[in-house]
Amino acid sequence: MVGSVECCVCVLERKEWMQALQQAMAEQRARARLSSAYLLGVPGSEQPDRAGSLELRGFKNKLYVAVVGDKVQLYKNLEEYHLGIGITFIDMSVGNVKEVDRRSFDLTTPYRIFSFSADSELEKEQWLEAMQGAVAEALSTSEVAERIWAAAPNRFCADCGAPQPDWASINLCVVICKRCAGEHRGLGAGVSKVRSLKMDRKVWTETLIELFLQLGNGAGNRFWAANVPPSEALQPSSSPSTRRCHLEAKYREGKYRCYHPLFGNQEELDKALCAAVTTTDLAETQALLGCGAGISCFSGDPEAPTPLALAEQAGQTLQMEFLRNNRTTEVPRLDSMKPLEKHYSVILPTVSHSGFLYKTASAGKLLQDRRAREEFSRRWCVLSDGVLSYYENERAVTPNGEIRASEIVCLAVPLPDTHGFEHTFEVYTEGERLYLFGLESMEQAHEWVKCIAKAFVPPLAEDLLARDFERLGRLPYKAGLSLQRAQEGWFSLSGSELRAVFPEGPCEEPLQLRKLQELSIQGDSENQVLVLVERRRTLYIQGERRLDFMGWLGAIQKAAASMGDTLSEQQLGDSDIPVIVYRCVDYITQCGLTSEGIYRKCGQTSKTQRLLESLRQDARSVHLKEGEQHVDDVSSALKRFLRDLPDGLFTRAQRLAWLEASEIEDEEEKVSRYRELLVRLPPVNRATVKALISHLYCVQCFSDTNQMNVHNLAIVFGPTLFQTDGQDYKAGRVVEDLINHYVVVFSVDEEELRKQREEITAIVKMRVAGTASGTQHAGDFICTVYLEEKKAETEQHVKIPASMTAEELTLEILDRRNVGIREKDYWTCFEVNEREEAERPLHFAEKVLPILHGLGTDSHLVVKKHQAMEAMLLYLASRVSDTKHGMMKFREDRSLLGLGLPSGGFHDRYFILNSSCLRLYKEVRSHRPEKEWPVKSLRVYLGVKKKLRPPTCWGFTVVHETEKHEKQQWYLCCDTQMELREWFATFLFVQHDGLVWPSEPSRVSRAVPEVRLGSVSLIPLRGSENEMRRSVAAFTADPLSLLRNV
Ligand SMILES: [Zn+2]
């Protein structure tokens, strides 16, 4: 035989000989293994699918159990297993396995139940799988296998040569062994669609069997294994990793394939394919497809536009079958991407589903209108091997169209009855198309959604499938501090919860959309970014693909809005207080404490209504500004909101108990009753009551100016909060009691109270000062602060209470972005003046609000590391004296508010800085200073604007505001960076009495005093009590009529 091979000159023939020889050897090896197994006494020739020790209930020692083929064998121990002396075996054709608990499972047979326990949950799973496999094998039939083995090459695995292969790849058209089948599966359905000859009985149609008889391993290997170097050939005993490498090379890369003469010429390949499919030459079709011919190329014939249609026209059923099975096969490429490069191109699970669906034509934009029933067409839909195909009817052979699961980016489920069909779902693709499907039956629609979701969500994100969702898909995002590169993450939206799975990093807690601190869209229309800020984290979702992004945007905005009218359905802030309440309370605290008749006077009807409407819609995005909103409009809106709460602040169920409590005579008993009742309120109501009463407590502190003492506030708020008519004073008494006993009822501690007082004092002082200087600033108390540098992505909106220090602001920003503070990270808040090209690190104890009010449009705040701080601290620690003197280059810019013309250039001057002043001398020997400034009134900025041509780059800008609010500005330049730092450090030192950096970061949570609010009414400012009550009663009778009269 060897001689005849050598004599043969035909290469092809030689290959066939080689294959025959290889097969013969494989058979021999298999027989050898079989006989040696018998010699050893091991029953059964096969290697076990699983073997190991298991606990069997009723036996003291663990048994050794092996799952082999369709049998489960029990041995006393490993030794006896090797000797082949078994206790018993269970034929799994009569067996059944089921899970009992975390580690146990039962193997049930008609004669006995075996209760096993594995060592771990994972092991239990593996045993279950192995035993279920044995059941499947026992129930399988070899009828299909016998028929396919009728072709000799099919009797040995196409890849490793193992005998009696009972698996197959239906697109590659090769028969393979179980081990190779496992690796084929790992290649993904885009390369190989694996089916069992024995178990997947439904797959094996007559046509497919015939195709395997005609193509099969013979033709398959002539093409796929034309050039296998002996060193890379597989053996039945090859290791899994060798097998994987070989199969990757063979089918994914096409490394060993027989190149078609037309390889590389796409047009010719396509033409050749269109010709081949009309003939019986299946091998040619296989070769062409394997070399890159386009399976859905245009044939040039509108009647039969695709190769599949041509084959149908020509009546080539085998060609059709082959083309259909290869519809989604990827063309092998030597440079093929490794499958894990893009995480969503990992092998998707194989999901199959089929049935009728109603479908509309795909759209390129969001569906704003209701789609009528007539717009849907009934289509037979098949989800299989990662493709959703829709056909004219269930008998149609060629699909009308298809959507690859890998192209699906989003799946959304509109509310029932959004369209002409009760239940619908939307599929968004990478190509920016939107497909709408509908069904009558909820169960069926649900089933489709589940199957499609499973087909396009990778294992990485499969946790998202465990819950129902309204929207599911992938989106580019940025999060944390790694904002350089967007990555693709998986998201699901359900109710007001947004879940996310990121390819890197730990599992994320769901975002509570209604509790977001901020939800905004930034960037231009081309490049939109959705910014979601939750305490401690910020998420940026990028609108790279417009269509599905717009869908997500709408859904997220809707989910983040208030869900209804009750308190807990509102957008909530940090301490569970509805955003709508604290927005108003905060504004009144900032601007309305000294306003006469605050909460008693009514706002303008239209303004109040408009404001309330926008607050109800999205309170988070409403930033109240002085000058735009009158305090009375805001106070009216708040009262209206509280009065209209369907369940009331004190809830319908408990309202009466509160009113009754107000009648308790013993003061102490009454207070403790209030405390009791408070605990019973739902958390959001409780937090809101506290915030509101705390606010009213502040308001009455200013009753000298605003005329609203406790009693007056109670008259206004009693009926509002209890939603009564105002004739009965019990409601008012509750409010009065709560304000009077505010500290006890709400367990307010000293610290909280002190902070609250400080804040109010600061606000009032500032307002008085502001009025005096005639510079009343529009008080947008929500301030924009940037992290590290000014750009849209680093923007944070922070509410700045009057008591907030630069240190607190810095920590707040870092906290929000979840930035950890390491030692020697001198995070500082800087005031940056863009026009002056200078910046000033705020001292940690500086109050932010006054700075904010003085900030021009050219300035902003940014939190970043103070790079020079360490050097400055070292300098301060090592110097000998508290003063500093030396030469600097000086330039004056004497102008009002920096508007004047600069005068002259830079000149050398001698400076002395001590604990009280900065003095300027013409020269070192001068006795009298030319100028002298009190050091505490100077503001020192690092940097000098380039327009002034500073002589060195180590300059600073000093601003001095005189008592007449006249601004003077000078520029100083040092020769070295160190000198600049020394001067700057000395300034800091003398200005802040030696406290340059906090000794330890005050990471105390800065519970901002949440202030509180009330209702709308027209009450005479200084009227009698009865007059006031009447006006409240009138108001409650028809609240809107009064609003209209304003
Ligand atoms: Zn094999």
Side-chain angles (χ1 to χ4, degrees), residues 516-792:
L516 289 181
Q517 295 185 338
E518 188 195 327
L519 175 68
S520 61
I521 305 158
Q522 288 168 7
D524 50 50
S525 59
E526 288 297 293
N527 248 322
Q528 288 193 323
V529 180
L530 178 62
V531 185
L532 299 100
V533 182
E534 205 187 37
R535 188 145 191 86
R536 289 176 182 280
R537 55 181 169 166
T538 304
L539 176 67
Y540 303 91
I541 294 180
Q542 299 193 305
E544 255 167 43
R545 290 177 309 260
R546 188 148 183 85
L547 187 63
D548 61 312
F549 177 74
M550 293 313 284
W552 277 102
L553 185 63
I556 288 175
Q557 283 174 330
K558 208 168 143 206
S562 297
M563 308 293 271
D565 293 334
T566 69
L567 263 192
S568 56
E569 286 170 326
Q570 304 298 314
Q571 294 176 345
L572 295 180
D574 270 355
S575 2
D576 265 1
I577 301 161
V579 177
I580 190 168
V581 173
Y582 81 62
R583 275 276 190 276
C584 296
V585 160
D586 197 42
Y587 183 74
I588 302 286
T589 306
Q590 304 278 3
C591 311
L593 287 183
T594 53
S595 170
E596 198 178 70
I598 183 72
Y599 286 119
R600 178 141 37 113
K601 287 203 213 155
C602 266
Q604 277 187 39
T605 317
S606 56
K607 283 195 179 168
T608 302
Q609 277 172 336
R610 216 176 309 131
L611 176 62
L612 187 55
E613 217 163 275
S614 56
L615 282 167
R616 279 206 171 116
Q617 212 160 40
D618 186 8
R620 202 176 290 112
S621 68
V622 177
H623 293 173
L624 299 169
K625 286 185 182 172
E626 196 172 3
E628 281 175 27
Q629 257 92 28
H630 194 275
V631 284
D632 293 335
D633 295 336
V634 178
S635 68
S636 295
L638 178 65
K639 286 190 291 180
R640 169 58 55 208
F641 169 75
L642 292 166
R643 173 168 273 284
D644 289 351
L645 281 176
D647 198 33
L649 186 56
F650 290 93
T651 75
R652 251 176 240 290
Q654 294 175 41
R655 188 181 297 166
L656 208 58
W658 283 88
L659 295 176
E660 280 166 11
S662 74
E663 294 183 305
I664 298 174
E665 275 177 25
D666 183 79
E667 204 70 354
E668 216 167 290
E669 201 184 310
K670 184 160 70 175
V671 168
S672 71
R673 175 71 180 145
Y674 284 141
R675 286 172 60 102
E676 241 173 78
L677 289 170
L678 194 65
V679 178
R680 288 198 217 154
L681 285 178
V684 177
N685 296 54
R686 188 162 60 231
T688 310
V689 170
K690 182 181 175 190
L692 189 62
I693 298 299
S694 158
H695 172 63
L696 296 181
Y697 176 80
C698 295
V699 173
Q700 58 85 32
C701 290
F702 293 89
S703 57
D704 284 352
T705 351
N706 63 29
Q707 308 299 329
M708 295 302 284
N709 58 24
V710 178
H711 191 68
N712 287 351
L713 285 170
I715 290 172
V716 175
F717 274 94
T720 300
L721 302 184
F722 285 92
Q723 303 175 337
T724 60
D725 61 8
Q727 293 295 352
D728 175 3
Y729 190 63
K730 266 185 266 169
R733 201 172 312 135
V734 175
V735 174
E736 197 166 345
D737 288 342
L738 291 180
I739 300 175
N740 283 331
H741 301 288
Y742 163 62
V743 174
V744 183
V745 174
F746 297 97
S747 316
V748 182
D749 65 29
E750 283 291 307
E751 178 65 13
E752 207 176 333
L753 203 60
R754 190 185 56 76
K755 275 205 153 183
Q756 207 168 325
R757 281 206 201 101
E758 256 180 32
E759 182 183 355
I760 297 166
T761 318
I763 289 168
V764 173
K765 253 195 216 155
M766 205 178 63
R767 291 185 70 80
V768 171
T771 320
S773 68
T775 51
Q776 184 98 12
H777 297 284
D780 185 357
F781 301 101
I782 303 291
C783 159
T784 305
V785 182
Y786 299 91
L787 182 61
E788 299 199 286
E789 61 174 305
K790 183 181 176 181
K791 54 182 184 187

Side-chain angles (χ1 to χ4, degrees), residues 15 78 128 246 282 353 367 395 425 560 580 592 602 829 976 1024:
K15 279 210 182 95
L78 182 62
L128 272 177
H246 177 88
L282 289 160
H353 195 59
L367 307 174
R395 290 172 310 279
F425 59 89
I580 190 168
C602 266
C829 182
T976 66
S1024 70

Side-chain angles (χ1 to χ4, degrees), residues 273-274 277-278 285 289 294-299 303-327 391 396-400 402:
L273 179 66
C274 290
V277 295
T278 60
T285 302
L289 283 181
I295 190 148
S296 41
C297 65
F298 181 54
S299 66
E303 293 288 297
T306 60
L308 180 58
L310 284 171
E312 190 178 6
Q313 209 175 44
Q316 294 294 339
T317 48
L318 292 183
Q319 292 277 12
M320 285 167 66
E321 178 77 19
F322 186 69
L323 288 172
R324 266 202 296 265
N325 293 339
N326 278 286
R327 210 173 36 178
Y391 297 82
V397 180
T398 319
N400 288 6
E402 48 193 34

